Amino acid sequence: MTRALLVVDVQNDFTEGGALAVAGGAEVARKISAYLARHGDEYDLVVSSRDWHDSVGDNGGHFATDAAPDFVTTWPVHCVAGTVGAEYHPDYATGSVDVHVYKGQGKPSYSAFEGVTEDGTSLAEILSANEVTAVDVVGLATDYCVLASAKDAVAETLNVCVLTDLVAGVAPESSAAALDELRASGASVV
C-alpha cells in the first residue's frame, strides 16, 4: 500500500485573525508540523492544498461582493493569490511537502481534488502517478474543505482516514456531522 498525507488549507485566512478564521486553526498548524516531524517518513507522498483565489471579480460567485455573505455559498474575500491571507500559516512547516495544489482560481472550490499544481496537474493524477492507494487527511476546515476533500478521495476509491486530532472546523455541530458523513461514506475517522 502506498500512503499519502493530504494537508488541506492550513492558511492564514483560515486561522485566528484571518478573513474566515477557524478557532483552533493555529493549533492545528502546530500539531501538523509536529506530526510531520514524527511521522513524515511514514508517507510516500505529502500533498498540501490551499485556496488560491483570483484578485479580481467574485470568483464565480464565491465571494460576496454585492451583498453580505451567506456563509453557505458566498463568503468574505479570502485567500487571494499572492496575499498574506493565502500563505500557509507560519507554524505549518512545509519542508516535507512534496506537492502543492492550488484550488479556486476564479471559481468556487472546496475539495483539494478540484485543485491543480502550478503545471496544471490534478491531485487525482498526482496520486495515480505515485500509485497511492491510501490517504490520511488533515487540515482546515473539518466541515467544509476537509469534508469535500475526503469525500472526493473516497470517490477515487482510495482508503481514506481523517485524523481528528489534526483538523478543526467552523462549528462543533457541522464538524461532527461532517465526520459522521465521512464514516458513512467509508472513510475511517480516528
Side-chain angles (χ1 to χ4, degrees):
M1 182 181 322
T2 303
R3 289 178 65 211
L5 179 68
L6 174 57
V7 182
V8 178
D9 300 357
V10 181
Q11 297 170 262
N12 289 325
D13 270 348
F14 296 136
T15 58
E16 291 81 355
L20 282 172
V22 173
E27 180 65 17
V28 165
R30 288 186 285 278
K31 286 181 173 181
I32 290 171
S33 293
Y35 181 81
L36 280 167
R38 288 189 318 271
H39 301 285
D41 60 353
E42 297 170 17
Y43 292 96
D44 300 289
L45 188 70
V46 178
V47 179
S48 191
S49 74
R50 59 178 154 173
D51 266 11
W52 201 249
H53 295 298
D54 291 348
S55 61
V56 294
D58 66 3
N59 284 271
H62 193 60
F63 290 168
T65 55
D66 297 329
D70 65 16
F71 297 95
V72 176
T73 59
T74 61
W75 307 91
V77 173
H78 63 279
C79 298
V80 172
T83 66
V84 171
E87 295 303 318
Y88 291 123
H89 189 277
D91 291 338
Y92 168 38
T94 60
S96 58
V97 174
D98 300 301
V99 178
H100 299 271
V101 175
Y102 302 87
K103 58 192 184 65
Q105 300 175 306
K107 61 186 183 290
S109 184
Y110 298 90
S111 171
F113 284 84
E114 296 173 275
V116 295
T117 61
E118 285 185 353
D119 70 2
T121 307
S122 73
L123 177 56
E125 291 169 328
I126 291 161
L127 298 177
S128 177
N130 286 278
E131 300 179 353
V132 171
T133 56
V135 177
D136 290 349
V137 182
V138 301
L140 304 171
T142 309
D143 33 359
Y144 289 93
C145 297
V146 169
L147 170 64
S149 299
K151 282 176 59 175
D152 282 353
V154 169
E156 291 287 331
T157 67
L158 298 166
N159 292 317
V160 178
C161 182
V162 177
L163 307 179
T164 60
D165 286 351
L166 303 177
V167 297
V170 173
E173 300 81 14
S174 54
S175 294
L179 295 175
D180 287 344
E181 183 177 344
L182 289 169
R183 281 185 199 95
S185 75
S188 298
V189 177
V190 298

